[in-house]
Amino acid sequence: MRLKNVPYLVGGGGALLVFAIPLLWALFRSVRPNDVIVAAPDSATFFHLTWANFQALIEGPGNLLRAVGNSLVVALSTAVLTAVLATLAGYGFARFRFRTAPLLFALVVVSMMIPFQAILTPLYLQLNVMRLTDSLFGLVLFYTTVNLPFGVFVMRNSFSSVPVELEDSAHVDGCGTLRMIGSVLRPLVTPGAATVALYAFLAAWTEFLGALTFLTKDELYTLPVALVNVQAGAYGEVNFGSLVAGSVIAMVPCIVLYVGLQRFYVTGLASGAVKG
């Protein structure tokens, strides 16, 4: 091993520990009883491990499995819808030339700076008029609206990095626009689309305030809202065992997706950062 590689290995190892130790510690605490978690450290009970926290979440009145299913439906639908709309809009901004294009794209970029909490009330009123409150579909539309500006920004720059000559050749061969996007350009912009989908999925999976605002029925609660309802014990006491176990369940899809799409995510962010 070369001496000049030592700083990189040390830095990489340190970064790994910074991110891995909290995850491992959360996993370890999730299999410990709540009374052991809140008690003073004791060597006699430190390694007292049990699956009671997960069993209580699954079999408890909160019906956590249904909440996990609701979150999966909402997050996956948001990811797919955001990726499709962002791809089409990004292609339009990158290839079509019209007078108001710079202004419209500037509005898209500016909307990324507005937190959704600032427009939560008008969004709620609009969804209420459309009778989409207390609806997973309405929640999907809300999350898609919030995440779409970032998706359009990434996909516009992804398409801008693709040579126009590829499209000209496809048009000469009689390829339509939609077919060209799906067959010719899709392999080249897959990293950007994967980045948009992953970003939208993680945002929808972990979001709490919007779900709490738009949903009032227990059977429609997503995982973050359900965890708030099941974490409380008697007399306002927080059940840290159930809370940590629920957090571990919530982490699993995020870790699996990020590890599986990591190479696309890094490439997509790089392609969306600058215009080619």
Side-chain angles (χ1 to χ4, degrees):
M1 182 178 62
R2 296 180 179 179
L3 186 60
K4 66 177 182 180
N5 293 332
V6 173
Y8 298 101
L9 294 176
V10 173
L16 176 63
L17 292 177
V18 168
F19 287 100
I21 288 179
L23 297 178
L24 296 177
W25 181 244
L27 180 61
F28 176 68
R29 288 171 65 90
S30 68
V31 293
R32 302 177 68 196
N34 183 63
D35 55 348
V36 175
I37 293 177
V38 299
D42 187 356
S43 59
T45 60
F46 188 78
F47 290 101
H48 182 194
L49 307 180
T50 176
W51 294 101
N53 295 326
F54 293 95
Q55 185 176 0
L57 287 177
I58 295 175
E59 300 177 356
N63 203 336
L64 195 74
L65 291 181
R66 182 172 58 194
V68 172
N70 291 339
S71 287
L72 283 175
V73 169
V74 170
L76 290 175
S77 301
T78 301
V80 173
L81 184 60
T82 303
V84 171
L85 294 179
T87 299
L88 297 177
Y91 179 80
F93 278 117
R95 290 294 185 258
F96 298 152
R97 296 291 179 262
F98 50 96
R99 182 176 301 176
T100 58
L103 176 61
L104 292 178
F105 187 69
L107 291 177
V108 171
V109 175
V110 170
S111 64
M112 295 170 56
M113 308 176 189
I114 303 175
F116 78 88
Q117 293 87 350
I119 57 174
L120 190 60
T121 299
L123 283 176
Y124 177 83
L125 295 176
Q126 183 176 1
L127 287 179
N128 190 45
V129 171
M130 299 170 64
R131 300 184 183 276
L132 289 177
T133 54
D134 273 331
S135 168
L136 295 183
F137 178 67
L139 196 60
V140 169
L141 292 181
F142 166 68
Y143 289 151
T144 301
T145 301
V146 172
N147 293 295
L148 197 56
F150 173 80
V152 173
F153 175 78
V154 172
M155 294 309 299
R156 184 256 192 182
N157 290 339
S158 296
F159 280 113
S160 297
S161 64
V162 177
V164 182
E165 289 75 14
L166 289 177
E167 300 179 42
D168 294 338
S169 300
H171 283 307
V172 170
D173 293 336
C175 187
T177 301
L178 292 179
R179 183 181 177 185
M180 178 184 58
I181 295 176
S183 301
V184 179
L185 301 181
R186 177 184 54 81
L188 301 176
V189 298
T190 294
T195 299
V196 173
L198 179 59
Y199 180 86
F201 178 91
L202 296 179
W205 179 263
T206 59
E207 203 279 327
F208 169 75
L209 183 58
L212 181 66
T213 303
F214 295 117
L215 302 177
T216 59
K217 297 180 180 179
D218 292 347
E219 62 270 18
L220 296 178
Y221 281 163
T222 56
L223 184 58
V225 180
L227 287 178
V228 172
N229 292 333
V230 303
Q231 74 175 354
Y235 305 107
E237 177 188 5
V238 177
N239 190 328
F240 289 101
S242 298
L243 181 61
V244 177
S247 300
V248 170
I249 294 175
M251 284 192 302
V252 171
C254 301
I255 296 175
V256 171
L257 272 180
Y258 184 78
V259 172
L261 299 177
Q262 182 181 15
R263 61 191 182 96
F264 295 113
Y265 186 72
V266 175
T267 305
L269 283 180
S271 63
V274 295
K275 178 180 177 179

